[in-house]
Amino acid sequence: MNENENMELDELEEDENAENYITLTDDDGKEVSFEIIDTVQYDERLFAVLIPFDDNDDEVVILEILPGEEPEMDEFVSVDDDELLNSVFEAFKAQYEGEYEFE
C-alpha cells in the first residue's frame, strides 16, 4: 500500500467477530482486508493498528482514524510522519508488552 493512500471504511463483516475485521478500499480501488489488533490514542489523535488479513507477513499497518462525513464511516488515513508512526507503535508495544513478541 502506498503511504499517501486515504481509505474509507468500506465493509464490515456481519459475523460475531465483525468489530475485528474491516475491508478498506485504496485509491486504486483495490480492496484489502485487515484484522484490527487495537486502537491507540496518541497525542489526542486515534490510530488503528492493523494486520493485513491475506498477508503472511507479520508487519502491522498503522492508520489514523478520522471521523467521516457520515456516522459509522470513519476514514482511515495513512501517516507520512515516520517519527509519529514510531511513537504510536511504541505506545502500542507498551500496551501489549508480554502478549506479543516484537522484533
Side-chain angles (χ1 to χ4, degrees):
M1 282 194 172
N2 184 319
E3 289 180 0
N4 297 321
E5 293 171 332
N6 291 340
M7 294 175 256
E8 286 189 23
L9 181 60
D10 183 45
E11 178 180 310
L12 199 54
E13 295 182 18
E14 295 295 329
D15 63 22
E16 59 194 45
N17 294 320
E19 68 268 4
N20 294 332
Y21 298 95
I22 58 171
T23 299
L24 301 174
T25 304
D26 66 16
D27 288 339
D28 296 326
K30 180 182 173 190
E31 290 187 349
V32 182
S33 295
F34 293 92
E35 179 179 359
I36 303 170
I37 301 302
D38 200 1
T39 57
V40 175
Q41 189 79 34
Y42 183 82
D43 198 26
E44 299 183 24
R45 296 163 70 179
L46 185 61
F47 298 88
V49 180
L50 312 167
I51 294 178
F53 189 69
D54 58 354
D55 193 355
N56 293 330
D57 196 359
D58 289 334
E59 291 187 22
V60 299
V61 174
I62 297 174
L63 300 173
E64 184 170 8
I65 302 173
L66 300 175
E69 293 179 15
E70 297 178 31
E72 309 274 332
M73 294 298 290
D74 294 337
E75 287 187 53
F76 289 72
V77 181
S78 62
V79 179
D80 296 331
D81 183 341
D82 288 339
E83 187 175 321
L84 176 59
L85 282 173
N86 288 332
S87 296
V88 171
F89 187 60
E90 290 301 319
F92 169 75
K93 287 185 350 183
Q95 286 179 348
Y96 286 94
E97 189 173 347
E99 290 186 46
Y100 291 108
E101 191 173 311
F102 299 102
E103 294 180 18

